[in-house]
Amino acid sequence: MKKYFTILVLTIATLTLVTGCSTTDTTTTSTTATTSTSTTTQTSTTTETSTTSSTTTSTIQPGGVEYYPHSEGASWQYLVTVTSTTGAVYEFTYYQTFEGTTTVGQTTVQKLPNSLDSDQGQLIEVSDGYVKSYGTIGSPTIETSLILNFPLTLGASWITLYGDVYGTTLEVKVDSFESLTVPAGTFECFKIMRSLAPKFGVPPAYVWYGANVGMVKTSSPILSESGGTDQSSEVSFTVTGTMTYELINKNF
């Protein structure tokens, strides 16, 4: 049976390498999302290309919880671009907003529904030391996954399991600090790389976070996954396209 993912998310309805849902934390944890291009509309619109520039290492301050704003009612709007390996391009806008809390096990978590499927919105716990996902609103889990591990410093990394794929892990690494321009403006960002093991032959996903902004951009391959449902089932991945999220607006 095949399933489609991005190896990204944020925290978002199409991020698995970016976030990494329903994963058990081996050092700290991450979140996941299935991708469906059937909800998108094909377009010929030309989109603005993001630009980046690096920052001198000695001027970079460690990043903390300010890189993941999470106040009640905080909302973000993104331009999502899906490019298939056949060359087809789809674009749509995507919203996510912190709305209310719930309890998973003994932990109170925040709900982050999105405009595509509220049940696929993440359940998020934020502390001074980390950002964790407790699965989705429609499928909560006590097996947390680590989205961010504070403080963010260049070269810092951690290992987490990858979604519900048996025994598969991904490495999350603070890759660089750079200036990034998206439709919402220009932001100084930590760039987070999320990678499956080299044996899978899958390119990494990236997420950019800005202080007092949150997720500014994601870029990830879209993966078709086969197998990996139990110990005897070998998993394999096929890249079927790429997906990016670029910040258009926020309400704070």
Side-chain angles (χ1 to χ4, degrees), residues 175-252:
D175 186 66
S176 62
F177 188 83
E178 57 192 33
S179 180
L180 176 68
T181 300
V182 294
T186 299
F187 305 94
E188 300 299 312
C189 299
F190 278 103
K191 180 182 180 182
I192 310 298
M193 179 172 67
R194 301 175 63 86
S195 306
L196 286 165
K199 69 177 182 178
F200 293 115
V202 173
Y206 296 94
V207 192
W208 289 258
Y209 292 94
N212 304 310
V213 178
M215 193 181 75
V216 174
K217 180 182 176 180
T218 71
S219 177
S220 178
I222 301 170
L223 305 180
S224 170
E225 168 205 316
S226 298
T229 55
D230 55 43
Q231 191 170 6
S232 62
S233 177
E234 190 75 21
V235 67
S236 63
F237 299 98
T238 302
V239 176
T240 61
T242 59
M243 174 174 285
T244 62
Y245 288 70
E246 293 182 300
L247 183 65
I248 298 173
N249 199 7
K250 59 184 180 66
N251 70 349
F252 57 91

